[in-house]
Structure formats: C-alpha cells, structure tokens
Amino acid sequence: AAGALVYVGYEIYLMRHPAEQEVPEEGKKTLVVLGTGWGSVSLLKKLDTENYNVIVISPRNYFLFTPLLPSCTTGQIEHRSIMEPVRNFLRHKKTAVKFYEAEATKIDYKKKVVYINDESEIKGNVRTSEIAFDMLVVGVGAENATFGIPGVREHGLFLKEVGDAQKIRRRIMDCCETAVFRDQSPEERARLLHMVVVGGGPTGVEFAGELQDFFQDDLRKWIPEIQDNFHVTLVEALPNVLPMFSKQLIDYTERTFKEETITIRTKTMVKKVHEKYIEAESTGPDGQKITENIPYGLLVWATGNALRPVVKDLMMQIPAQKDSRRGLLVNEYLVVKGTEDIWAVGDCAIANYAPTAQVASQEGAFLARLFNNIAKTQAIEDKLSQLSDLQSKAPNKEERDQVFADIKELQKRLRRVKQMGPFEYSHQGSLAYIGSDKAVADISWLTGNVATGGGLTYIFWRSAYLSMCWSMRNRILVVMDWAKTKMFGRDVSR
Ligand code: NAD
C-alpha cells in the first residue's frame, strides 16, 4: 500500500508516514522509556510496540553512535554522520510511539509518575509536565565524573555529547590560531599548543590518538609555525593506561604513543584545574609525591562516569538502593531492586559489567524480548480463560474435546514463552583506536582471546565500527567522511 512500510533489503525501507501508523489500543499498559542512548534505543529497535502504549522521553531527539565521537573532535567525521533522529526509526514501527524531547527531572516510584522538563532554547508556554507509567525503563546513562576536583567544570572540556566534540574542535583551532598571533611570547605559544588529556581509559586514549593524527596529517602542514610546540600529553592516575586491556596491548599502546610523540604521564593525579594550568601530584620511583603545575591550552577531561541527579534521587527513595554508590542495582532480569515495574539499562544500572555501549545494547535487546514475551504470555492467558469458559459451555463431547485440545496446545506454548532465562552478557571483545592508523583489540570470539594491535587491526576496527553504525545512511556518511579526509585533509576552519 502507498506509504506503508516495505523492506527492500540492505536496511532500506520505503517510508511509512507517521500518520499511517496505528494508534495504541485503549487499555494497553503505558511503557515509558527514558533516554535515547545505546540501551533505550536497542530496546526500541526490537520492541513490538503494538503491545504497549510506548512513550519515549529524552533531552536528545537522536541516537549518537558514541564510538566514533572522538573522530568528530578533529573533523575526521562530521557529527551528523553519526546521529540518527529518533523519529526516523520510530516511524518504522507498526504502532505509533510518542516522543517528548525533555529531561526527566524526577521519578516518583510510588506514585508511578515521571516529572519532565523541556529545556529547549525556544521557550514554549508549557515547560514542565508529568507522565504516569505502568512500566518504566530507566536508560538515562551517566554524567562526566569530576570527583569534585575544583575547576574541572569551568575550564575542562568533556567528550560525551555532540556539543562537547564541537567545543573541542573549536578550541583546538582557537589554540593554534592564537598561538601564532603576532608577537605571542614563546612561553604563551608553548602553553597554548600543549594539549592535555586527563584520564587514560579508552576515551582519553582514542582522543589523544585522533588529535595527534590531526596534527601529523594536517595541522603541521597548514600552520607550520606550530610544528615545534604542538604537543599532546595524556595524564593517568593509575600505573598504566587502558586497564581493561591485556598487558601486551597496554605495552603496545604505550610504545605506539611514544613513536607518535604523545607523552603519557602515569601515576599522576590531577588535583586542581586553573584557567591556564593544572596542579598534578605524581609519584616518583621512590614513592615520593611531587606536586607540579602543568600549563595547557586545551584540557580534555575523560575520567569516566558519575551518577545523574535523577538516578541519585530515585535511589534515595528506594530502601534497597540506599547502599549503592555507583548506580541502580538491578536483578538478573534488569528489574531495579526494591521495585516491581522499573527496569534499568546501560550506564545508570549496575549489573556487574563495565559501563560500555556493548553491555547497554545487549541489555536493551534483552528487555525488548522480555516485554514482547510478557505481552505474548498475557495474550495466551486471556485466550486460555476464554477457552475454559467455552469448554464448560460446549454442548457435546466432540466440541469439548476440541476445546480441550486447543487448551493443551496453548498451555504448551505458554510454557515455551515463559521459559525465558535471565540476562547474560556475551562479551564480543574490546576495541580502541590509538592513532597513526593503529588499533588494539581484545577479541574472544575470533581466535580464542586473541589480543592484536596494528594496521590490520585498524582495518578490522574500521569495519567493525562501520557495521555497528545505526543505519545504512550513517554508514554511507561515515565512509564518505573518511574518503573526504583522505582526499582533502581535515577542515581546519573554526
Ligand atoms: P574510564 O573510567 O575507563 O577511565 C578513566 C580514567 O581516568 C581511569 O583510568 C582513572 O584512573 C583516570 N582518572 C580518574 N581521575 C583522575 C585524575 N584526577 N587524574 C588523572 N587520572 C584520573 O573512562 P572512559 O575512558 O571515559 O570510559 C568510560 C566507560 O566507557 C568504560 O567502561 C570504557 O570501557 C567505556 N568505553 C569504551 C570504549 C571502547 O571500547 N573503545 C571507548 C570509550 C569508552
């Protein structure tokens, strides 16, 4: 039919206009999903929306493919290539899903209500509202950890959202252009061109690698005056970077950084951030603590995740959550402990796995199966109760036997549907780009816990990330961005 959803292969659909979607039937349970990150979106992708009245709430009306976000900071990839509008994938659903662009400011778990706030720059007449739910999925992610270190929020830049990557891109160019301004002193030039990254997890390492590439491939050719002073330093409090990788890959990363002339400062903890320098405490070989000031032009702060206030507030309301510090404790079916109708996925949930995109998306897919199953179970149980009515009213033995056979068949199906095991994470491996066309990979499924690094791994990294992109549209845009950079270099305009 004209306008209906038609799958033509290769993830290309002929459009379904939202106006042609079915509306949820009266009496369906309201399922509210908070967030549009890895967890929530992977739930929405697989959820049969005809079973519920689904409402999605997020301050971001798009999904962001975060693994390629570090590439956006240098213009290697344009940010819109890794964004997918929520409305674009929701319109492919058979039954319409409501979306509100707003932040959930409070969840009242006893009243079963979410309070939301529209933070958009354009102020409508209505800015706040409340949404009642029967079932709630909390997939709001986390915010940047600062550990209360003074000056981080004022002077550091984070790398979590599209806006962060854009700010970093502008700041890099600002530092370069200001450093070569007429009569700039040598000290000030050196400061402006010192790019400091705090946090040696995958975010910090990937960003440092991308930034050094930017300098090597483009910046030093376009602005030769910065050649001698441009320098990237990675600061890490622990004795090594990338703690989740094997020793062999950590060594490989550290060697590669040395060749790329990126300085790694391990066992160095940043204590305070000032406008133009950081105060860091390092531990010498004799165990002695040394405090020093490190000047910077750009400071990128990548020290991991912290709880969002809305999650903290929810935890305070539930006695079973009071002792948790890192996030919402969930059971093996991802139900928030101490509640019955609230589930949590992704970085805001604590399910004994690292807070990664891989975990979040598997959790989301699990919940979709669980909710589809709950709906199927309900439908079979309704049918069963109708049949048992029918059986008692059946006029003759033949019909009674027929209904009895149908009941048996349905009971068998019900047992099958109800047999859903708990969530189990299947780790597909870890990958990280480390600059100069090299990547490291810890992959368990390929050849039994193989740890590889180097150029071939880089090709693998590229293809893996490409295949993980949300849509064919994203994939084409990313490939075009890579080709564009190869041909013309990165765009150095601010
Ligand atoms: P992280 O938590 O992995 O690393 C943060 C690092 O910052 C830690 O090593 C910590 O010791 C250090 N640190 C903290 N405070 C410090 C201070 N004051 N001074 C100096 N160093 C300090 O953070 P991340 O890299 O943002 O990653 C967050 C999560 O996302 C992790 O679970 C990670 O595995 C995942 N992730 C994975 C990939 C990938 O697989 N390619 C990429 C990005 C993020």
Side-chain angles (χ1 to χ4, degrees):
L5 178 71
V6 183
Y7 183 65
V8 292
Y10 299 105
E11 287 187 35
I12 298 168
Y13 294 85
L14 291 187
M15 307 306 170
R16 184 209 293 267
H17 196 279
E20 287 151 5
Q21 285 179 309
E22 288 168 12
V23 285
E25 279 170 35
E26 286 274 322
K28 292 277 177 203
K29 280 191 172 177
T30 299
L31 167 62
V32 172
V33 179
L34 303 182
T36 45
W38 282 96
S40 303
V41 156
S42 113
L43 157 68
L44 291 167
K45 196 174 187 176
K46 298 225 163 81
L47 183 72
D48 297 335
T49 53
E50 55 273 30
N51 298 325
Y52 300 96
N53 168 29
V54 186
I55 302 176
V56 182
I57 297 159
S58 171
R60 229 173 55 182
N61 80 344
Y62 55 88
F63 165 72
L64 178 66
F65 185 73
T66 45
L68 287 176
L69 192 60
S71 302
C72 293
T73 59
T74 64
Q76 156 101 326
I77 284 177
E78 292 299 337
H79 60 272
R80 288 205 177 262
S81 306
I82 56 165
M83 290 159 70
E84 184 67 19
V86 170
R87 296 191 183 275
N88 213 13
F89 58 82
L90 288 184
R91 72 178 170 169
H92 294 317
K93 292 286 178 188
K94 195 168 152 208
T95 304
V97 171
K98 273 242 162 314
F99 173 75
Y100 296 120
E101 193 184 66
E103 197 174 311
T105 48
K106 188 178 171 68
I107 299 163
D108 190 324
Y109 100 98
K110 279 204 181 127
K111 276 203 208 154
K112 290 192 151 189
V113 167
V114 182
Y115 297 88
I116 63 171
N117 197 356
D118 175 7
E119 304 269 341
S120 70
E121 282 164 25
I122 295 179
K123 295 185 174 50
N125 283 344
V126 186
R127 306 275 288 173
T128 58
S129 189
E130 43 183 275
I131 312 272
F133 62 84
D134 297 305
M135 297 155 82
L136 175 72
V137 176
V138 186
V140 298
E143 57 179 39
N144 296 288
T146 64
F147 306 103
I149 295 170
V152 177
R153 291 202 183 276
E154 294 82 344
H155 309 299
L157 299 180
F158 300 114
L159 184 47
K160 208 172 201 25
E161 302 289 346
V162 162
D164 298 334
Q166 288 172 309
K167 263 193 216 158
I168 293 175
R169 188 171 173 183
R170 274 197 304 273
R171 185 69 61 87
I172 298 168
M173 291 324 301
D174 229 355
C175 284
C176 292
E177 298 294 2
T178 311
V180 298
F181 187 64
R182 199 183 151 98
D183 297 335
Q184 199 68 270
S185 72
E187 299 77 45
E188 186 63 353
R189 176 176 291 198
R191 176 185 76 81
L192 287 164
L193 294 173
H194 191 203
M195 311 280 152
V196 174
V197 184
V198 182
T203 307
V205 165
E206 290 191 319
F207 171 67
E210 293 275 358
L211 182 55
Q212 186 64 24
D213 282 0
F214 187 19
F215 171 69
Q216 276 302 336
D217 300 345
D218 302 298
L219 283 174
R220 71 188 174 96
K221 297 178 194 157
W222 296 103
I223 320 173
E225 304 96 295
I226 66 169
Q227 280 257 39
D228 296 338
N229 291 112
F230 190 96
H231 193 79
V232 181
T233 300
L234 181 67
V235 181
E236 166 57 52
L238 297 175
N240 55 263
V241 297
L242 292 182
M244 69 291 294
F245 283 87
S246 65
K247 169 93 178 64
Q248 180 201 346
L249 288 178
I250 291 170
D251 290 347
Y252 180 79
T253 306
E254 293 187 348
R255 265 200 323 276
T256 307
F257 268 27
K258 208 168 183 179
E259 284 162 20
E260 290 169 4
T261 66
I262 297 173
T263 304
I264 301 183
R265 298 280 310 264
T266 50
K267 295 191 200 161
T268 305
M269 165 95 86
V270 177
K271 296 276 185 178
K272 197 167 178 182
V273 176
H274 298 263
E275 193 190 347
K276 297 184 177 180
Y277 65 94
I278 51 174
E279 278 177 49
E281 187 184 83
S282 53
T283 315
D286 52 357
Q288 222 183 349
K289 301 266 187 243
I290 307 153
T291 305
E292 62 185 311
N293 295 340
I294 306 173
Y296 68 84
L298 166 82
L299 178 71
V300 170
W301 193 266
T303 63
N305 293 341
L307 282 178
R308 287 198 191 280
V310 65
V311 174
K312 238 187 254 174
D313 177 77
L314 176 62
M315 286 163 63
M316 294 303 291
Q317 298 170 44
I318 306 167
Q321 298 283 337
K322 284 223 165 98
D323 294 331
S324 173
R325 292 280 160 271
R326 291 180 302 126
L328 288 163
L329 300 171
V330 293
N331 73 8
E332 68 276 28
Y333 286 87
L334 307 180
V335 178
V336 172
K337 285 185 182 168
T339 75
E340 278 175 8
D341 303 308
I342 306 183
W343 289 260
V345 288
D347 289 1
C348 62
I350 301 294
N352 293 331
Y353 311 106
T356 65
Q358 214 180 129
V359 171
S361 73
Q362 287 185 27
E363 287 175 343
F366 170 83
L367 275 197
R369 265 195 300 131
L370 184 75
F371 294 162
N372 294 344
N373 257 16
I374 291 175
K376 268 187 219 151
T377 308
Q378 190 59 52
I380 296 173
E381 280 171 351
D382 289 352
K383 186 93 192 145
L384 272 173
S385 88
Q386 280 168 15
L387 281 182
S388 54
D389 270 3
L390 215 66
Q391 195 187 22
S392 59
K393 287 183 199 139
N396 54 49
K397 183 176 180 311
E398 204 175 301
E399 275 185 37
R400 269 197 302 275
D401 285 350
Q402 180 54 48
V403 176
F404 184 68
D406 290 348
I407 290 178
K408 278 265 166 238
E409 183 53 37
L410 276 180
Q411 280 171 337
K412 230 193 315 180
R413 261 178 60 197
L414 188 62
R415 273 197 298 277
R416 263 202 314 270
V417 170
K418 276 190 163 174
Q419 251 174 18
M420 189 170 159
F423 173 69
E424 266 176 54
Y425 171 58
S426 137
H427 185 62
Q428 303 294 303
S430 307
L431 271 173
Y433 180 63
I434 57 171
S436 63
D437 292 354
K438 287 178 184 157
V440 286
D442 253 324
I443 303 153
S444 43
W445 50 267
L446 193 62
T447 29
N449 249 330
V450 81
T452 70
L456 264 183
T457 314
Y458 173 60
I459 294 171
F460 175 71
W461 174 84
R462 278 206 167 184
S463 20
Y465 276 20
L466 204 57
S467 72
M468 278 154 55
C469 276
W470 177 267
S471 62
M472 187 52 84
R473 187 185 73 94
N474 286 149
R475 259 168 237 148
I476 293 170
L477 291 175
V478 166
V479 167
M480 279 177 7
D481 286 344
W482 278 336
K484 201 173 68 184
T485 308
K486 201 86 205 142
M487 277 193 277
F488 307 112
R490 296 166 183 79
D491 179 350
V492 296
S493 54
R494 193 159 67 90

